[in-house]
Amino acid sequence: MKVWAVANQKGGVGKTTSSIALAGLLADAGKRVLIVDLDPHGSMTSYFGHDPDTLEHSVFDLFLHQGNVPEGLPESLLLPTSHEHIRLLPSSTALATLERQSPGQNGLGLVIAKSLAQLWNEFDYAIIDSPPLLGVLMVNAMAASQHLVIPVQTEFLALKGLERMVNTLKMVNRSRKQALPFTIVPTLFDRRTQASLGTLRVLRDTYPDTLWQAFIPVDTKLRDASRLGMVPSRNDSNSRGVIAYRALLKHLLAHVPASQVA
């Protein structure tokens, strides 16, 4: 199984859309895909028609065992989605309380990694949607993943958030045996605005080695897919957004080393 995390410490940059679009394209190709919603807002969970406010069981259950994960628990939490090849490990609003509960508890940073280990042979890919906050949940996403995708909105305020995210990654890498490789993905690009054009130039100048050189455009078809609870490629496979995500997936598959597969 390949494990990718999608993260940024700034909200509203397209993390959930990117996670679902990539998962959908992989699933369209027949891959078995697990999506993991670690955001207490539960946008990914809501996307597929599950209510994070009322779910009786969720990913939160994994954190209730002092850093251990009981055998069979992750599989028991999986929910269906509108795509037959995608299963969801759902979020709940209870995750918002985790930061207050976690001080003093050892081993909580590896809960998701331990959970995915139990599901390793059941899926070809796992994509983790992270919260826009540095804390135990984002640490879990990074600890479990083999490659990090960092969506960044092409507007100048997003550049500071990206800088914080890259600094966080450097800090996390100091505690890892191997540095976590990452790809920066420009999102919500609107070529009609100077803000988008200028931000893209800055990104290309500042992060030449880790930036995906293309971009995800603003596309109302992505919003339509969300409203329908469908992966974008099933809603309109030839929309501008889906074409861009298809190119991004091709880039990731070409540049993520095969050695990352355990």
Side-chain angles (χ1 to χ4, degrees):
M1 181 164 64
K2 289 184 179 179
V3 185
W4 299 344
V6 181
N8 193 322
Q9 285 173 245
K10 185 181 185 303
V13 299
K15 291 190 304 297
T16 299
T17 298
S18 297
S19 300
I20 293 172
L22 292 170
L25 289 166
L26 288 165
D28 289 345
K31 302 299 183 183
R32 302 167 299 167
V33 185
L34 171 65
I35 51 176
V36 183
D37 191 354
L38 287 188
D39 191 339
H41 291 110
S43 297
M44 178 184 274
T45 301
S46 298
Y47 190 109
F48 289 110
H50 304 287
D51 186 354
D53 291 324
T54 59
L55 279 177
E56 189 172 343
H57 297 287
S58 72
V59 70
F60 180 69
D61 295 30
L62 300 172
F63 291 88
L64 302 179
H65 306 278
Q66 304 298 315
N68 298 309
V69 180
E71 189 66 34
L73 179 58
E75 186 170 10
S76 74
L77 299 174
L78 298 179
L79 293 177
T81 71
S82 58
H83 198 298
E84 64 274 14
H85 294 310
I86 301 176
R87 301 292 297 280
L88 168 69
L89 195 52
S91 173
S92 72
T93 50
L95 277 177
T97 68
L98 193 60
E99 300 298 335
R100 296 198 301 270
Q101 298 178 22
S102 59
Q105 291 195 51
N106 295 324
L108 286 190
L110 296 175
V111 166
I112 296 302
K114 292 175 181 177
S115 300
L116 293 183
Q118 291 191 26
L119 300 168
W120 204 261
N121 295 320
E122 304 299 317
F123 295 94
D124 301 303
Y125 287 85
I127 298 180
I128 306 171
D129 189 18
S130 304
L133 173 71
L134 176 58
V136 67
L137 292 168
M138 186 180 286
V139 167
N140 263 270
M142 290 186 180
S145 69
Q146 302 154 340
H147 196 87
L148 183 65
V149 176
I150 307 177
V152 55
Q153 185 178 0
T154 46
E155 55 101 4
F156 287 110
L157 288 177
L159 293 175
K160 181 56 72 174
L162 175 60
E163 185 180 330
R164 284 196 298 270
M165 186 67 215
V166 171
N167 288 336
T168 294
L169 186 54
K170 290 177 181 176
M171 179 184 70
V172 170
N173 279 341
R174 285 197 288 269
S175 64
R176 289 175 60 107
K177 293 179 182 177
Q178 288 184 313
L180 177 61
F182 64 96
T183 301
I184 298 169
V185 177
T187 60
L188 297 167
F189 180 80
D190 186 346
R191 67 173 65 254
R192 299 168 299 178
T193 69
Q194 286 301 313
S196 275
L197 293 168
T199 304
L200 189 59
R201 281 195 297 270
V202 172
L203 287 170
R204 287 173 173 170
D205 290 343
T206 310
Y207 303 98
D209 298 327
T210 51
L211 180 75
W212 178 51
Q213 293 296 312
F215 51 81
I216 306 298
V218 171
D219 185 357
T220 57
K221 293 294 181 68
L222 295 174
R223 196 180 311 128
D224 293 343
S226 173
R227 179 174 52 83
L228 296 169
M230 299 171 63
V231 298
S233 53
R234 284 269 174 100
N235 179 53
D236 186 343
S237 63
N238 293 313
S239 69
R240 290 181 302 143
V242 170
I243 290 170
Y245 276 115
R246 195 174 287 124
L248 172 61
L249 178 60
K250 184 178 180 180
H251 172 85
L252 291 173
L253 292 176
H255 289 82
V256 177
S259 62
Q260 289 181 11
V261 185

